[in-house]
């Protein structure tokens, strides 16, 4: 295995000792004494071509360079983007391995490695479908765009909520680069750099690297003895090599190879950090300590090769994007969040009540994803522009789930595997699409697009017959198979009207689609499974029709920009995931309808030279509309025969009361979606004072979200009232150098971000306050 620290040092030497600057400005220089006034234009590729954000008839936000650099300086992973734009939330029960994205309240709480999400991640024109790919680190970025609403024409299936789109910095034909390193609390190191090297008249290379590490900092305070600094550390390394080859003026090839290697602590689960009947973290919560008797670790390794070829034929360009991804991952955690179990003497279990032990590992021994897109796009500046293409997707995925006998169960020694489940899923999809924009007048333009989608998925799951845990809870199932397929048409239509050079109006209607899904995590299926109740669940395709209108404005000679959009959508046959219950299930269900509406506001202001202010605000109302839809509630619902088990207070109507080893079944009609806050707000302020050829600056950034529920059902305990995290940063920078100090989560906000409900009142918590210093150079 390579030594990542040595490779980092070699890369840093190659970068010329580099340390650095904001993303889109990495290979440019700026004289701060002559800094331009105003905000400048924002160019996006939301419609697969470069356009001014003010002209695009889509609700889209760009995460600016300064904010991106600030929020990731402490070593944060992709979850740092959560709440940084209107309507976007990101969370994970796997830590850095498996992010889950939500836009306009639409997402998926599914925690299995074949989870399907309605928010698509697109990395340099390549969709990253599997959750372990979606956690690929954010570094050497040209731009990050968040596209809200269905994107089913140009980007395809599984985009009914929207897209988070990453575009990396590409090689140019001038030598240059950047580098930056920060050091902070918990001995955290965040080092990143890139260099572009011309390699001939028509060839250029760009090498980029990211290294992040942090010491363990959470103590394990078991009664048998405290282990200091047992959890919380990680080491994450990512590398990218790009080669730009231009054999002729009209033909260009971009080759990319990249990989990631993560090794560290998995998500920390904290038993009974909620109290029955109370909606907030209790006195058991201590961010710096935990009491668990199981394993905790995770690794991820992913590799990618891709080729993008562009052939300019004059009136049109032909674009081919070919990509292959491979990955493997494993993550094990003490899911009950505590130690022992309540059938032991009181001093041997806790904190709080632990009805039974739960320690599981989920692994991806092998993931392979191949995608191919061929696209034709018109050139020129006439009133008509168009593009059309073909897309193919092929994925093979192996998953292994294991349950450990933490205390021993008579058949297995403590720490032994007593349940072993293997899954295999093969997915194929293709699409044919086209989009046309026509300028009816100098002020009025219309856009229409359509896409044909065809999807199929074959699934096989096996639970070993020689592992029974315990027999009264389940019996071996052998092998179960499922297959699903569907084809459908998605489309969009929009109109844009330029009232004047500073005001644009738009309206858009779009239909999106998420392919049918299968879920087969059968570690704990029913005790007496039947062909119709074997733990494997299937969700039919969901379709969404979304209506959106907005106004995009600039004012004050380009010093102010305000964009406002309102939306309404109907999501039919909505794919929802019922997690938890009495056996930590993960079951797919379809709701007849989910209705949502709200608005998004983006604003930027440069009132005086050196001062920039930004703000974002969104309101999202979501409602499940299905009179007969039910879900299992928390596994610890009180029953008279089991008065000592962990409890939660369910607020929904009970359809089937709880019984021994069976959670209550409740009606969830009218509930909001999980992880769907009504309000998300963010704001930043940056002020710089020129000093010589540089500046002294200070900036602050904040993100807020209102109350969220963790599950489909509503309870007093499994929710979080609000989260408010802010950062500050101050330093000096010139054309070539930067020195700064920073603090993240400056108020040390303590908020629950998710929970586990099948065993006790377990919580997952946001990141702690961190501080540090950074230095950088660009050339």
């Amino acid at each position: 295995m390579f030594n990542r620290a040595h490779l980092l040092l070699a890369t840093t030497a190659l970068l010329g000792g580099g340390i650095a600057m904001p993303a889109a400005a990495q290979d440019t220089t700026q004289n701060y004494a002559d800094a331009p006034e105003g905000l400048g234009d924002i160019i996006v590729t939301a419609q697969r071509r470069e356009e001014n954000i003010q002209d695009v008839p889509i609700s889209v936000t760009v995460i600016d360079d300064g904010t991106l650099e600030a929020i990731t300086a402490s070593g944060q992973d992709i979850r740092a983007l959560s709440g940084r734009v209107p309507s976007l939330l990101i969370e994970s029960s796997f830590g850095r391995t498996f992010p889950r994205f939500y836009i306009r309240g639409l997402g998926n709480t599914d925690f299995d490695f074949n989870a399907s999400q309605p928010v698509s991640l697109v990395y340099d024109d390549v969709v990253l479908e599997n959750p372990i790919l979606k956690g690929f680190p954010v570094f050497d970025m040209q731009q990050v765009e968040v596209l809200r609403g269905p994107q089913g024409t140009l980007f395809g299936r599984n985009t009914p909520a929207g897209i988070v789109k990453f575009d990396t910095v590409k090689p140019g034909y001038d030598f240059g680069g950047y580098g930056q390193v920060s050091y902070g609390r918990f001995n955290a190191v965040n080092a990143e750099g890139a260099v572009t090297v011309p390699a001939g008249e028509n060839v250029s290379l760009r090498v980029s690297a990211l290294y992040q590490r942090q010491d363990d900092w959470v103590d394990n305070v078991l009664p048998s003895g405290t282990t200091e600094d047992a959890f919380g550390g990680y080491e994450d390394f990512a590398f990218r090599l790009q080669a730009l080859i231009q054999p002729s003026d009209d033909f260009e090839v971009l080759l990319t190879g990249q990989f990631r290697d993560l090794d560290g602590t998995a998500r920390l689960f904290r038993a009974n950090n909620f109290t029955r009947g109370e909606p907030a973290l209790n006195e058991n919560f201590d961010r710096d300590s935990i009491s668990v008797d199981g394993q905790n670790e995770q690794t991820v390794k992913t590799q990618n090769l891709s080729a993008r070829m562009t052939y300019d034929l004059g009136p049109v360009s032909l674009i081919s994007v070919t990509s292959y991804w491979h990955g493997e991952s494993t993550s094990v955690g003490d899911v009950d969040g505590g130690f022992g179990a309540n059938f032991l003497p009181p001093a041997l279990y806790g904190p709080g009540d632990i009805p039974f032990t739960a320690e599981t590992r989920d692994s991806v021994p092998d993931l392979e994803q191949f995608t191919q897109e061929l696209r034709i796009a018109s050139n020129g500046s006439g009133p008509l522009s168009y593009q059309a293409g073909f897309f193919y997707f092929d994925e093979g995925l192996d998953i292994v789930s294991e349950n450990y006998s933490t205390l021993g169960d008579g058949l297995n020694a403590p720490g032994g595997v007593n349940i072993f489940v293997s899954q295999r899923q093969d997915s194929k999809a293709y699409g044919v699409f086209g989009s046309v924009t026509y300028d009816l007048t100098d002020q009025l333009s219309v856009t229409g697009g359509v896409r044909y989608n065809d999807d199929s998925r074959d699934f096989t799951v096996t639970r070993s017959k020689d592992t029974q845990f315990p027999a009264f809870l389940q019996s071996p199932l052998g092998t179960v198979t499922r297959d699903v397929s569907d084809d459908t048409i998605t489309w969009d239509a929009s109109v844009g009207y330029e009232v004047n050079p500073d005001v644009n109006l738009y309206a858009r209607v779009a239909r999106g689609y998420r392919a049918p899904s299968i879920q087969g995590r059968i570690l704990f299926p029913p005790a007496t499974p039947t062909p119709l109740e074997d733990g494997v669940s299937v969700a039919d395709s969901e379709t969404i029709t979304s209506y959106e209108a907005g106004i995009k404005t600039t004012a004050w000679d380009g010093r102010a920009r305000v964009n406002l959009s309102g939306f309404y959508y109907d999501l039919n046959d909505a794919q929802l995931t019922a997690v938890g219950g009495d056996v930590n299930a993960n079951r797919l269900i379809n709701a007849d309808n989910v209705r949502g509406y709200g608005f998004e506001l983006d604003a930027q202001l440069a009132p005086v030279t050196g001062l920039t202010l930004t703000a974002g605000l969104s309101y999202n109302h979501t409602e499940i509309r299905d009179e007969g839809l039910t879900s299992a509630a928390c596994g610890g619902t009180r029953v008279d025969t089991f008065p000592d088990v962990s409890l939660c207070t369910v607020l929904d109507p009970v359809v089937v009361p709880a019984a021994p080893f069976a959670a209550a079944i409740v009606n969830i009609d009218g509930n909001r979606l999980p992880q769907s806050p009504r309000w998300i707000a963010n704001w930043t302020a940056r002020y710089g004072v020129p000093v010589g050829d540089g500046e002294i600056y200070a900036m602050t950034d904040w993100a807020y979200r209102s109350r969220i529920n963790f599950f489909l059902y509503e309870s007093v305990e499994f929710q979080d009232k609000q989260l408010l995290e802010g950062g500050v940063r101050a330093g000096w920078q010139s054309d070539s150098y930067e020195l700064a100090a920073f603090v993240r989560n400056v108020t040390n906000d303590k908020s629950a971000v998710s929970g586990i409900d099948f065993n006790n009142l377990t919580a997952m918590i946001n990141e702690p306050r961190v501080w540090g210093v950074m230095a950088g150079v660009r050339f």
Side-chain angles (χ1 to χ4, degrees):
M1 180 178 178
F2 64 86
N3 186 312
R4 284 170 284 188
H6 290 170
L7 184 53
L8 174 70
L9 291 174
T11 303
T12 303
L14 179 61
L15 301 181
I19 322 286
M21 306 305 287
Q26 285 160 357
D27 291 340
T28 63
T29 60
Q30 175 180 350
N31 189 322
Y32 293 96
D34 300 323
E37 298 180 355
L39 295 170
D41 293 334
I42 298 176
I43 304 301
V44 298
T45 55
Q47 297 189 118
R48 308 296 293 274
R49 63 175 74 244
E50 293 187 352
E51 299 171 288
N52 190 319
I53 193 172
Q54 300 302 98
D55 299 329
V56 177
I58 298 173
S59 179
V60 55
T61 300
V62 171
I63 300 178
D64 68 87
D65 310 327
T67 300
L68 187 63
E69 183 184 4
I71 65 179
T72 58
S74 62
Q76 272 273 47
D77 61 282
I78 200 170
R79 290 172 294 165
L81 304 180
S82 183
R84 299 296 167 178
V85 303
S87 293
L88 175 67
L89 186 142
I90 311 171
E91 55 87 25
S92 174
S93 56
F94 283 80
R96 301 171 74 88
T97 303
F98 184 154
R100 295 189 288 250
F101 295 79
Y102 304 78
I103 293 180
R104 293 181 173 174
L106 300 178
N108 189 359
T109 57
D110 193 331
F111 55 80
D112 208 3
F113 278 128
N114 70 331
S116 167
Q117 296 180 342
V119 178
S120 186
L121 209 72
V122 176
Y123 213 102
D124 282 341
D125 275 344
V126 176
V127 61
L128 303 186
E129 181 80 2
N130 189 269
I132 70 170
L133 301 182
K134 292 186 175 184
F136 196 81
V138 179
F139 67 103
D140 195 24
M141 284 290 134
Q142 180 70 31
Q143 191 154 274
V144 179
E145 301 173 19
V146 178
L147 285 58
R148 294 175 287 258
Q151 308 297 323
T153 296
L154 294 176
F155 295 96
R157 69 191 194 118
N158 295 355
T159 62
I163 288 173
V164 182
K165 186 173 179 292
F166 297 88
D167 292 303
T168 63
V169 177
K170 304 302 187 294
Y173 289 104
D174 295 320
F175 176 80
Y178 79 100
Q180 68 182 28
V181 63
S182 67
Y183 176 82
R185 190 183 183 193
F186 310 130
N187 290 322
V189 174
N190 185 58
E192 164 183 349
V195 61
T196 293
V197 181
E201 183 178 353
N202 299 313
V203 179
S204 182
L205 304 177
R206 187 172 181 89
V207 181
S208 312
L210 172 73
Y211 176 75
Q212 299 174 313
R213 57 93 54 207
Q214 176 177 283
D215 283 350
D216 290 319
W217 59 276
V218 180
D219 299 336
N220 194 10
V221 292
L222 287 169
S224 58
T226 296
T227 302
E228 294 185 354
D229 299 332
F231 306 114
Y234 60 83
E235 189 176 25
D236 203 350
F237 181 74
F239 180 84
R240 181 183 303 120
L241 173 63
Q242 300 177 90
L244 180 63
I245 306 169
Q246 193 169 10
S248 65
D249 291 341
D250 53 16
F251 184 50
E252 181 180 277
V253 179
L254 178 65
L255 304 177
T256 301
Q258 52 191 346
F259 68 84
R260 179 195 191 190
D261 190 347
L262 166 67
D263 189 354
T265 295
R267 192 58 143 145
L268 293 179
F269 307 116
R270 299 170 180 269
N272 294 306
N273 275 186
F274 301 115
T275 298
R276 176 175 168 80
E278 299 180 9
L281 296 170
N282 58 26
E283 61 184 12
N284 288 336
F285 170 66
D286 179 3
R287 195 193 287 277
D288 298 323
S289 66
I290 196 169
S291 298
V292 295
D293 55 0
Q295 305 171 78
N296 185 292
E297 62 183 22
Q298 67 179 201
T299 63
V300 179
K301 299 180 188 298
T302 55
Q303 308 86 32
N304 165 244
L305 292 173
S306 66
R308 177 188 174 94
M309 294 180 286
T310 304
Y311 191 22
D312 187 343
L313 297 175
V316 299
S317 290
L318 298 177
I319 302 103
S320 170
V321 182
T322 307
S323 179
Y324 171 79
W325 278 90
H326 176 266
E328 55 189 72
S329 177
T330 186
S331 184
V332 58
D334 194 343
V335 183
D336 61 71
F339 63 94
N342 63 11
F343 49 78
L344 299 174
L348 298 182
Y349 68 87
D353 194 68
I354 311 294
F356 54 90
T357 64
E359 180 185 350
T360 60
R361 177 189 297 273
D362 289 291
S363 303
V364 175
D366 186 60
L367 163 69
E368 294 184 282
Q369 175 189 292
F370 173 79
T371 59
Q372 174 64 59
E373 181 178 77
L374 295 173
R375 181 162 51 96
I376 183 172
S378 62
N379 297 323
S381 56
L384 177 67
S385 62
Y386 57 88
Q387 50 190 313
F390 171 83
F391 174 78
Y392 177 73
F393 173 91
D394 191 337
E395 179 193 72
L397 173 64
D398 292 318
I399 303 173
V400 170
S401 298
E402 299 165 289
N403 188 82
Y404 289 87
S405 177
T406 306
L407 303 177
D409 57 19
L411 296 175
N412 299 274
V417 175
N418 55 21
I419 307 176
F420 182 92
V421 175
S422 61
Q423 305 176 45
R424 172 68 184 185
Q425 180 173 278
D426 292 292
S427 304
K428 297 183 186 300
Y430 69 86
V432 181
F433 61 92
S435 180
V436 176
T437 297
Y438 189 74
D439 298 331
L440 296 173
T441 69
D442 290 341
Q443 295 175 284
L444 181 65
S445 65
V446 294
T447 299
V450 64
R451 186 183 189 108
Y452 173 76
N453 308 268
D454 188 286
D455 291 87
S456 64
R457 179 166 290 168
D458 297 321
F459 179 84
T460 302
V461 58
T462 302
R463 188 171 75 233
S464 300
K465 295 187 177 184
D466 57 352
T467 55
Q468 301 183 34
F469 167 72
F472 67 88
L473 286 181
Q474 65 175 15
S475 60
L477 289 177
T479 299
V480 177
T481 61
R482 291 285 190 277
D483 61 85
V484 294
S485 62
D486 196 8
D487 62 287
T488 192
I489 300 290
T490 53
W491 49 267
D492 69 271
S494 61
V495 57
Y497 181 71
E498 183 184 280
V499 178
N500 58 54
D502 293 326
V503 178
N504 287 278
L505 305 176
Y506 80 90
R508 181 174 188 260
V509 58
R511 185 178 191 268
Y513 156 77
R514 180 150 58 124
S517 303
I518 306 173
Q519 189 51 266
R521 192 175 189 273
I522 56 174
L523 278 174
F524 305 101
T528 55
T530 69
L532 297 179
E533 192 180 35
D534 53 21
V536 179
S537 55
V538 174
D540 296 332
S541 303
E542 68 178 19
T543 57
I544 186 172
T545 303
S546 173
Y547 306 88
E548 178 180 312
I551 180 172
K552 299 189 176 187
T553 67
T554 56
W556 203 4
D557 295 327
R559 290 176 177 268
R561 180 185 296 118
V562 178
N563 294 341
L564 175 66
S565 61
F567 64 87
Y568 172 91
Y569 63 75
D570 269 310
L571 180 66
N572 295 317
D573 296 318
Q575 293 186 23
L576 306 178
T577 302
V579 300
D582 53 319
V583 293
N584 201 22
N586 205 25
R587 185 170 62 94
L588 294 173
I589 57 177
N590 283 106
D592 285 345
N593 178 263
V594 169
R595 181 163 295 174
Y597 58 83
F599 71 85
E600 287 126 3
L601 172 70
D602 277 305
Q604 298 89 36
L605 177 66
V608 297
T609 300
L611 177 62
T612 304
L613 307 173
T614 73
L617 180 67
S618 62
Y619 175 80
N620 285 271
H621 175 94
T622 62
E623 181 182 354
I624 299 171
R625 298 163 59 88
D626 188 329
E627 292 183 357
L629 192 63
T630 61
S631 173
C634 54
T637 302
R638 180 183 293 276
V639 291
D640 293 339
T641 53
F642 284 75
D644 297 324
V645 298
S646 302
L647 308 170
C648 84
T649 310
V650 179
L651 301 176
D652 295 317
V654 176
V655 177
V656 179
F661 305 109
I665 305 299
V666 300
N667 188 287
I668 60 173
D669 179 46
N671 288 0
R672 72 170 70 181
L673 293 173
Q675 298 288 346
S676 174
R678 293 282 172 84
W679 295 97
I680 290 178
N682 58 83
W683 59 97
T684 71
R686 187 187 189 281
Y687 184 64
V689 178
V691 177
D693 62 352
E695 69 168 353
I696 295 174
Y697 71 90
M699 72 168 294
T700 185
D701 63 278
W702 294 83
Y704 167 85
R705 63 120 174 97
S706 61
R707 183 176 71 89
I708 56 171
N709 291 324
F710 300 152
F711 306 111
L712 290 175
Y713 67 89
E714 294 189 358
S715 70
V716 171
E717 300 82 6
F718 289 113
Q719 60 171 281
D720 185 74
K721 184 178 180 180
Q722 64 181 26
L723 181 149
L724 175 64
E725 290 184 343
V728 295
R729 181 186 180 102
W732 170 85
Q733 67 180 17
S734 69
D735 293 343
S736 301
Y737 302 101
E738 180 176 9
L739 296 171
F742 61 86
V743 183
R744 304 303 306 163
N745 192 6
V746 63
T747 61
N748 201 27
D749 178 278
K750 301 179 180 69
S751 298
V753 294
S754 191
I756 299 178
D757 69 342
F758 80 104
N759 189 356
N760 58 67
L761 297 167
T762 296
M764 289 170 262
I765 312 300
N766 65 331
E767 297 297 317
R769 177 168 53 206
V770 296
W771 55 83
V773 294
M774 67 81 62
V777 64
R778 61 181 176 185
F779 49 92

